[in-house]
Every structure is written in structure tokens, then in C-alpha cells.
């Protein structure tokens, strides 16, 4: 199980955000760890870090994203509370 420390929620009202149920800001070090042998994404890009079956013949996906130099761990189709079962990733909230 990978544990990732959250630095912050995504900004409220940002047009690019999946919302606080689906993404968290993380450190560059955490992004590098999650990306493994692949490089961290450049600004405006994302790297796929985990795939899991969705139970309906499709796949759930977890990404590390680089938004204006800030790294986020995000999934548009899976809420954070389901990440431990789906992707073996837990988020430790800041605070």
C-alpha cells in the first residue's frame, strides 16, 4: 500500500479541477515516487500511475498531473475513499 501525503485540496472553482473528492495536491517527491521509472509529467501533462478494473469491463485510472508546476494525484472516475481498494493508494490528509 502506498501512502501519499496531501498538501492541499484543489482550488475551488478551478475549471480544470475534478473536485476535492477526486484529487489532492502532492509534493514533487511524492509525484516522482508514484511515477516510478517514468518521468514526472511536464506542465500541462499527466502520467498514468495505476489502472484497476471497474467491474463492468472497463478500467479505472489514477494519474499524477502537473498543473502550472503543482503536482496532483487524481482520478476522474474514482473517489479518493475508494483508492485504497482500487489502486492500493491511501491519502494522508494535511493537518
Amino acid at each position: 500500500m502506498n501512502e501519499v501525503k496531501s498538501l492541499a485540496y484543489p482550488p475551488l472553482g478551478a475549471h480544470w479541477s475534478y473536485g476535492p473528492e477526486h484529487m489532492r495536491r502532492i509534493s514533487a517527491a511524492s509525484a516522482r515516487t508514484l511515477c516510478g521509472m517514468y518521468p514526472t509529467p511536464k506542465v500541462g501533462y499527466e502520467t498514468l500511475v495505476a489502472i484497476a478494473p471497474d467491474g463492468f469491463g472497463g478500467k479505472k485510472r489514477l494519474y499524477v498531473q502537473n498543473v502550472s508546476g503543482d503536482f496532483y494525484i487524481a482520478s476522474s472516475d474514482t473517489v479518493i475513499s475508494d483508492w485504497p481498494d482500487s489502486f492500493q493508494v491511501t491519502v494522508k490528509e494535511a493537518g
Side-chain angles (χ1 to χ4, degrees), residues 9-21 23 67 72:
Y9 289 107
L12 292 176
H15 70 278
W16 51 264
S17 175
Y18 295 161
E21 299 84 18
M23 66 190 308
V67 180
Y72 289 84

Side-chain angles (χ1 to χ4, degrees), residues 22-86:
H22 291 269
M23 66 190 308
R24 291 290 188 277
R25 187 170 159 225
I26 59 173
S27 68
S30 291
R32 281 190 297 275
T33 298
L34 287 166
C35 289
M37 63 185 237
Y38 299 103
T40 54
K42 294 180 182 181
V43 172
Y45 290 88
E46 60 189 10
T47 298
L48 180 64
V49 295
I51 301 173
D54 68 2
F56 301 101
K59 303 288 183 192
K60 301 176 189 181
R61 292 170 175 81
L62 185 68
Y63 296 92
V64 168
Q65 301 175 331
N66 185 333
V67 180
S68 299
D70 290 331
F71 291 100
Y72 289 84
I73 184 169
S75 177
S76 64
D77 53 24
T78 308
V79 295
I80 291 172
S81 61
D82 291 341
W83 291 2
D85 291 333
S86 297

